[in-house]
Amino acid sequence: MKLGTLKEGGRDGTLIVVARDLSCAVRATGIADTLQRALEDWSNVAPRLNALSDALHEFRADGVFALDFAALASPLPRAYEFVDGSAYLPHVERVRRARGAEVPESFYVDPLMYQAVSAGFYGPRDPVRVPDEAYGIDLEAEVVIVTDDVPMAATPEQAAGHIQLVGLVNDVSLRNLIPNELAKGFGFLQSKPRSALSPVFVTPDELGPAWIDSKVHRPLTTHINGEWFGAPEAGVDMQFSFAELVAHAAKTRPLSAGTIVGSGTVANEDTSLGASCFAEKRTVETLEHGKPLTPFMKYGDTVRIEMFDAAGASIFGAIEQRIEKP
């Protein structure tokens, strides 16, 4: 099934069940007011949401309405936790090579991960507001998963059973603020503002054969100002599966229902497939030409992030945003 959230009913919005073709939806009235509440009682609520999804597709549901993407909040307008990994090592390797640094051996066995902003997410059609273009505005096109309650020290095999939803994120980064922050040795803060989630999240079974070994095996397509920017394959060159990322996050603490776990910027060894962020593109340019040629994003620029199934249909809907000054 596919789930979304309307911008109504308070900060956490109103949960809706969405048609597979993203054409229409129905409110989950009487089942769960919000997606967060559904995830907190997933074993009981999910079968009822599935039944409503079946009714929607069999034209038996009451209150069906046409889906307006502008009316959607992120499926989780806010979350208790958002932890973002960096599972695509070609991206890590290139970035470090561009500055003459080696990739530590530990990176191949121990995932990189940081605690990201989760108190609020942009809706999939909301503008990205940044105070100053000089901050180095960048997108990061990623896949995310959402868990139910995950016990502390869960193994990857156990963690796989706690992955309940899959979606996309535009993980906004302010590249020119990152070096000084990391130099302090205490991680990201100002350089990682709010992100945007895809219009809908889907259960893994909606992905069919594209969901294998806790990875999504489809290209992730990005357009900037209407022009193709990249479509790397999300299932290739992913060093750590989502099950491994969840287990890593839960090593010393349980994860609350509604925890979002990001894949990190999707990147492949094959650079002909393009990039999922400007930092990646600029790094490839530096390695090839000795310096970056492409500037970061400016006010008025637009980004569109989307994933399609084998038949060419949009799976999650598109994150489509414009960069604006507050």
Side-chain angles (χ1 to χ4, degrees), residues 206-223:
E206 282 288 331
L207 298 169
W211 180 253
I212 304 171
D213 298 328
S214 298
K215 299 178 183 179
V216 180
H217 293 262
R218 295 300 304 163
L220 181 56
T221 304
T222 300
H223 287 82

Side-chain angles (χ1 to χ4, degrees), residues 93-157:
E93 290 166 347
R94 278 194 285 265
V95 169
R96 293 180 71 89
R97 189 163 75 248
R99 66 172 188 260
E102 295 288 329
V103 178
E105 287 299 319
S106 63
F107 281 27
Y108 295 93
V109 295
D110 191 32
L112 290 168
M113 188 171 284
Y114 74 96
Q115 193 89 34
V117 174
S118 63
F121 293 92
Y122 289 121
R125 295 293 188 274
D126 292 346
V128 175
R129 301 188 187 278
V130 180
D132 194 334
E133 287 181 343
Y135 290 167
I137 306 166
D138 200 355
L139 72 128
E140 289 190 58
E142 307 181 16
V143 181
V144 296
I145 61 88
V146 184
T147 73
D148 58 9
D149 287 303
V150 182
M152 181 170 60
T155 65
E157 293 74 21

Side-chain angles (χ1 to χ4, degrees), residues 80-281:
Y80 288 112
E81 285 196 89
F82 172 25
V83 290
D84 200 12
S86 188
Y88 294 90
L89 291 191
H91 172 72
V92 178
E93 290 166 347
R94 278 194 285 265
V95 169
R96 293 180 71 89
R97 189 163 75 248
R99 66 172 188 260
E102 295 288 329
V103 178
E105 287 299 319
S106 63
F107 281 27
Y108 295 93
V109 295
D110 191 32
L112 290 168
M113 188 171 284
Y114 74 96
Q115 193 89 34
V117 174
S118 63
F121 293 92
Y122 289 121
R125 295 293 188 274
D126 292 346
V128 175
R129 301 188 187 278
V130 180
D132 194 334
E133 287 181 343
Y135 290 167
I137 306 166
D138 200 355
L139 72 128
E140 289 190 58
E142 307 181 16
V143 181
V144 296
I145 61 88
V146 184
T147 73
D148 58 9
D149 287 303
V150 182
M152 181 170 60
T155 65
E157 293 74 21
Q158 292 167 336
H162 293 282
I163 296 172
Q164 303 303 350
L165 297 170
V166 185
L168 306 177
V169 65
N170 176 14
D171 178 37
V172 181
S173 295
L174 304 178
R175 298 295 182 184
N176 293 339
L177 299 184
I178 289 177
N180 287 342
E181 285 205 315
L182 294 187
K184 296 178 180 179
F186 219 50
F188 302 114
L189 181 66
Q190 295 169 338
S191 55
K192 288 288 189 176
R194 287 189 172 187
S195 300
L197 301 172
S198 51
V200 304
F201 285 163
V202 311
T203 48
D205 60 350
E206 282 288 331
L207 298 169
W211 180 253
I212 304 171
D213 298 328
S214 298
K215 299 178 183 179
V216 180
H217 293 262
R218 295 300 304 163
L220 181 56
T221 304
T222 300
H223 287 82
I224 303 296
N225 296 327
E227 296 188 3
W228 186 89
F229 188 78
E233 167 60 59
V236 174
D237 299 321
M238 190 179 185
Q239 182 76 9
F240 304 101
S241 71
F242 278 110
E244 292 171 308
L245 293 175
V246 171
H248 178 80
K251 181 176 181 178
T252 60
R253 55 180 174 173
L255 304 180
S256 298
T259 292
I260 299 171
V261 181
S263 66
T265 306
V266 177
N268 293 156
E269 290 285 358
D270 183 359
T271 58
S272 71
L273 297 176
S276 295
C277 70
F278 278 84
E280 170 83 6
K281 183 175 179 65

Side-chain angles (χ1 to χ4, degrees), residues 301-322:
D301 286 349
T302 60
V303 57
R304 183 182 177 96
I305 300 168
E306 196 164 12
M307 183 176 281
F308 302 92
D309 65 18
S314 183
I315 300 172
F316 309 100
I319 300 172
E320 192 167 359
Q321 298 181 280
R322 186 175 187 269

